[in-house]
Amino acid sequence: MKVLVTVKEVAAVEDEFEIDGTAIDEAYLEYDLNEWDDYAIEEGVQISESEDDVEVVSVTIGPERSEETIRMALAKGADRAVRVWDDSLEDAEMLDVEAKTNLLAAVVEEEEPDLVLSGVQADDDGFGATGVSLADEVGFEWAAVVNDLELDVEGGVASVRRELEGGVEELTDVDLPAVLTIQTGINEPRYASLRGIRQAQRKEIKPMTLDDLGLSADVAESDLEIVDMYEPETESDATLFEGSPDETAGQLAEVLRDGGVGQ
Amino acid sequence: MLDYVGLEADLGEEERLIRDTARDFVEDKVRPDIADHWQDATFPTEIIEEMGALGFYAPNLDGYDLPNVSEKAYGLLMQELEACDSGVRSMASVQGALVMYPIHAFGSDAQKDEWLPKLGHGEAVGCFGLTEPNHGSNPSAMETHAEADGDGYVLNGSKTWITNSPIADVAVVWAKDRSDDENPVRGFLVETDKAGVTTNKIDDKLSLRASITGEIALDDVHVDADDVLPHVRGMKGPLSCLTQARFGIAWGAVGAAQDCFETALEYATDREQFGQPIGGFQLQQRKLAEMATQITNAQLLAHRLADLKERGDLRPQHVSMAKRNNVRMARETAKTAREMLGGNGITGDYSPMRHMANIETVYTYEGTHDIHTLILGEDLTGIAAFE
Ligand SMILES: Cc1cc2nc3c(=O)[nH]c(=O)nc-3n(C[C@H](O)[C@H](O)[C@H](O)COP(=O)(O)OP(=O)(O)OC[C@H]3O[C@@H](n4cnc5c(N)ncnc54)[C@H](O)[C@@H]3O)c2cc1C
């Protein structure tokens, strides 16, 4: 069985930063593994530890710098990795969901995984759509916002629990091959051990260009355009209640009632 | 943490991953409770195996499922652990540099096979018994001794100030072999559940409180001939372990100081008096500038030490200079940071005073500041002031 885990290096913004045109100035960005993907890696590695003959392949779309992030996935137990990048991707202002879907779909075609695990969303651009869009493109079954997973490898079924709005949870059986978008909290991601980090240096990160994937440069073209980037006005509207607990509780109740809560 | 001249920007990928792993682990698993452990004088024993699983013990050694990372990566690990608490770094130093290192360097294959995997994974705890009640700075005058007896030896004597002895499974005990004409110091692997071994805990420490310290009393303890470390005789044995551990301390002291600095900087930019942040006053800025400069100097020395160690050009005297300088720097930095926090600085809510108290131990163990001064003095003049 082969599990493909998509991972992304996300940008985190420092507390103080400056906006440069339609982007945040590089000087204020730090890069890290996307939080959701950390859970997806852990889920993949746990599958490989509990089942026989499971290969966990990690894939990322990103420049050379992102090798450090994907190396973290290898250090945590992924067997090998694929990194997709190309000059024409470098030049694109933004890779939208469609572009990523097409890139990842080409990788899925190449790798033929039984299961694709992605994070629910990326911490930076937060489209929250890539996993499901990929499933649609490659014709896999899918389940989004998965917070529990039981795999029946022989039966080819993933029994998942999905987190819906308003605290509702849904139990679903999904036939493989499938794409699952993994929610934080599904497991407790491990720390990479020093042994794992060492071993990861010897694991393969295969670079792939658009040519290698049989795609042309227009894959990066997007109907979306970032037109502006600005800091929203921050408004703070704090009410301070004073008095005994009895009095302040009453005041709070009033505010909640006025706000439409608990009628 | 402070890295003013960007030394860590030049790290290799592996070293950066190791630093980040250590930093995340400490942040999530150790830092939240460390002040309570310090107040209660307990060690967070649940992290012993976790740190083993992560490969934090003797990571710079090879074989036996040990990670074999670079000396710089090992140093960075010590830096990150001590940024949390010197007690946590001491745990890793003792287990790795003082117990696993001598077994790795001087042990028999059987000793290595038996102990290194267990110690490396934190499934067993080791301690290092050199200091005695009457012999601290001058351990070569030790009284603990071994006498040949049938198929092994009988050990007698007492060791004190031994980190982790009350929780240790095995002690590396340094003792003089009286059955040998030259009366050399030899290393013995002594399991602490053996008849005649007692390991009383030392209470009421005002420093390194989040670390367990004890004695080792040896009363006619029988060990097998196989329990002697076969490949070393004389003071070179314990001293070479100390060089390994002191290298880690030179790095660890930087971490403790960085943590003090960060705490003071944050406080100075938040706390307002006379209508502005205290960090806006020249007196406080001078303190920050001085701390940052001294930390950076110490950090440079530590990084240079790692390069020398990696290529095999490191001399013990280099390590003495770095241990001496960096721990003194951390001692000063902790004091200054504490001072900048005003009244809040004397509580356990902020790290500097805890670091400040801890550093008194670090200043004293692994060769006191004075002793390293004498080592450097001897190296520079060729005249030993302590013999
Ligand atoms: C918390 C803690 C943990 C420890 N853990 C361990 C451990 O795991 N294993 C272990 O073996 N030991 C351990 N030690 C012991 C430590 O290494 C000794 O305390 C240290 O070597 C100093 O010895 P001493 O305390 O006997 O001081 P002394 O040697 O008596 O020194 C007292 C003072 O005299 C000064 N002095 C001594 N000789 C000279 C000289 N020739 N010239 C000028 N000044 C001199 C010293 O610098 C010091 O200021 C630990 C100590 C502490 C506090």
Side-chain angles (χ1 to χ4, degrees), chain B residues 94 128-131 135-137 160-163 205 208 213 361 364-368 370-371 374 386:
Chain B
V94 169
F128 175 88
L130 179 63
T131 305
H135 307 280
S137 292
T160 191
W161 291 118
I162 308 307
T163 302
K205 283 179 299 168
L208 212 71
T213 317
T361 288
T364 298
Y365 71 14
E366 302 271 352
T368 68
D370 294 336
I371 293 299
L374 299 181
F386 48 88

Side-chain angles (χ1 to χ4, degrees), chain A residues 61-172:
Chain A
I61 302 166
E64 208 174 331
R65 187 194 59 223
S66 62
E67 288 214 348
E68 196 164 311
T69 301
I70 201 159
R71 191 80 69 188
M72 195 56 118
L74 295 175
K76 291 184 179 203
D79 297 295
R80 60 186 175 82
V82 174
R83 180 174 67 84
V84 180
W85 200 239
D86 203 281
D87 287 345
S88 53
L89 300 182
E90 181 92 52
D91 296 339
E93 196 192 355
M94 174 180 62
L95 290 178
D96 66 10
V97 173
E98 190 187 6
K100 286 187 182 159
T101 299
N102 289 328
L103 290 165
L104 292 174
V107 175
V108 167
E109 217 162 278
E110 174 96 14
E111 292 285 345
E112 299 181 337
D114 304 281
L115 185 62
V116 180
L117 301 177
S118 79
V120 165
Q121 67 189 78
D123 215 6
D124 49 5
D125 54 21
F127 281 114
T130 305
V132 173
S133 169
L134 171 64
D136 185 54
E137 179 69 25
V138 297
F140 280 18
E141 293 294 316
W142 58 272
V145 204
V146 170
N147 64 9
D148 191 51
L149 166 62
E150 304 247 339
L151 205 59
D152 171 3
V153 176
E154 265 163 38
V157 178
S159 303
V160 304
R161 190 173 71 209
R162 309 199 313 112
E163 196 176 299
L164 306 183
E165 296 292 321
V168 178
E169 299 200 321
E170 178 190 271
L171 301 176
T172 317

Side-chain angles (χ1 to χ4, degrees), chain A residues 188-224:
Chain A
E188 196 183 334
R190 69 194 66 194
Y191 299 93
S193 74
L194 270 54
R195 298 176 190 92
I197 291 172
R198 277 299 280 173
Q199 280 159 10
Q201 301 302 312
R202 293 189 292 270
K203 292 181 180 173
E204 182 195 18
I205 300 180
K206 185 171 161 193
M208 293 195 91
T209 62
L210 295 185
D211 252 6
D212 297 332
L213 291 170
L215 296 169
S216 64
D218 57 18
V219 72
E221 278 170 22
S222 176
D223 295 335
L224 299 181

